Amino acid sequence: MASHHEVAARYWGHLIQQDKKPSPVLQQLLLGLAKYILTCLQKKHVAPWDVDCLTPPKLATFYRLVGGDYDPLFLDTQDSSLSFIYQSLGCFHTLQPTKDPYTSPTVPALTARGFVKWQTMQLLLDPAEHVPFLQEAVKRFDLVNSQDGEPFPSLLPREALPMKPDKAMVDWHDLVSEKLMLDVKASREPTKTPPDLPWP
């Protein structure tokens, strides 16, 4: 008789494909996790004026609940910089209102598909840190596969996900990060005034 671990391993399979995209099962899992964050976490942990999008406070709350501390990224980073990070990584997101409805929308919020991309990239870049977060989410939250309406197994075997960082993805991410730092530095430099020229 197959063990619980063996049954779970067959269900999950390999969750990252050769082209570095999420498998259909991982995609459904991450979509289900996004839905859970939007519904259950919003009721318990997020301010009532927040919108039905994956805003920074919701993502920070999610990471805290699964054992991480991403408050510096999601709560301390400027909205424009976080939006640029999402854009650089190719994660679909929108700009949402702040607490004040009379100001222009500036809060970057991941769409569900953007969350799938975000989480997949984190698993490729730093599996040692992010795989346990996903394992804890599967164990702790009641996540349902929207395709068949069945709950996901509460056990996510470690071997279903990458064991080490993907070198090509890390190299690409380093280039993007370097460009982000240069762009932020350039945006903070004072505008140079043109030199005084003598009258002809």
Side-chain angles (χ1 to χ4, degrees):
M1 185 175 179
S3 67
H4 184 42
H5 185 277
E6 290 171 332
V7 172
R10 283 200 296 268
Y11 176 89
W12 295 109
H14 294 289
L15 294 178
I16 302 291
Q17 301 178 147
Q18 289 293 327
D19 59 3
K20 300 183 175 71
K21 292 181 180 179
S23 70
V25 174
L26 179 57
Q27 183 166 305
Q28 288 303 313
L29 172 64
L30 295 177
L31 288 173
L33 182 54
K35 183 177 180 180
Y36 183 88
I37 295 171
L38 287 173
T39 55
C40 299
L41 294 192
Q42 177 166 314
K43 294 177 183 177
K44 297 178 181 178
H45 302 281
V46 180
W49 62 77
D50 208 341
V51 293
D52 290 330
C53 294
L54 292 166
T55 53
K58 292 177 186 176
L59 292 173
T61 299
F62 159 67
Y63 279 109
R64 284 197 300 271
L65 291 175
V66 295
D69 180 10
Y70 277 66
D71 286 12
L73 174 64
F74 292 114
L75 301 183
D76 299 338
T77 303
Q78 288 186 349
D79 288 343
S80 58
S81 296
L82 185 56
S83 179
F84 185 82
I85 291 172
Y86 288 157
Q87 180 183 347
S88 299
L89 298 179
C91 300
F92 282 116
H93 69 289
T94 62
L95 296 181
Q96 295 297 327
T98 64
K99 183 179 177 180
D100 180 0
Y102 296 101
T103 60
S104 298
T106 58
V107 179
L110 288 173
T111 66
R113 293 289 174 179
F115 180 74
V116 171
K117 181 73 173 288
W118 170 263
Q119 286 297 125
T120 301
M121 295 193 73
Q122 304 314 308
L123 293 168
L124 287 166
L125 290 169
D126 193 355
E129 179 165 357
H130 286 273
V131 169
F133 296 159
L134 194 57
Q135 289 176 311
E136 180 66 17
V138 167
K139 177 182 177 181
R140 182 170 182 175
F141 306 142
D142 296 323
L143 302 177
V144 176
N145 189 326
S146 62
Q147 285 194 327
D148 56 19
E150 295 294 323
F152 287 102
S154 60
L155 173 64
L156 176 55
R158 178 65 185 86
E159 60 268 24
L161 289 157
M163 303 300 291
K164 60 182 181 180
D166 182 273
K167 185 179 185 306
M169 185 64 70
V170 170
D171 290 344
W172 176 83
H173 181 264
D174 289 345
L175 288 174
V176 171
S177 298
E178 183 179 355
K179 182 180 184 302
L180 172 62
M181 292 177 63
L182 291 173
D183 287 353
V184 170
K185 182 179 179 182
S187 68
R188 291 177 178 172
E189 289 181 352
T191 304
K192 294 181 179 179
T193 55
D196 292 329
L197 298 176
W199 286 98

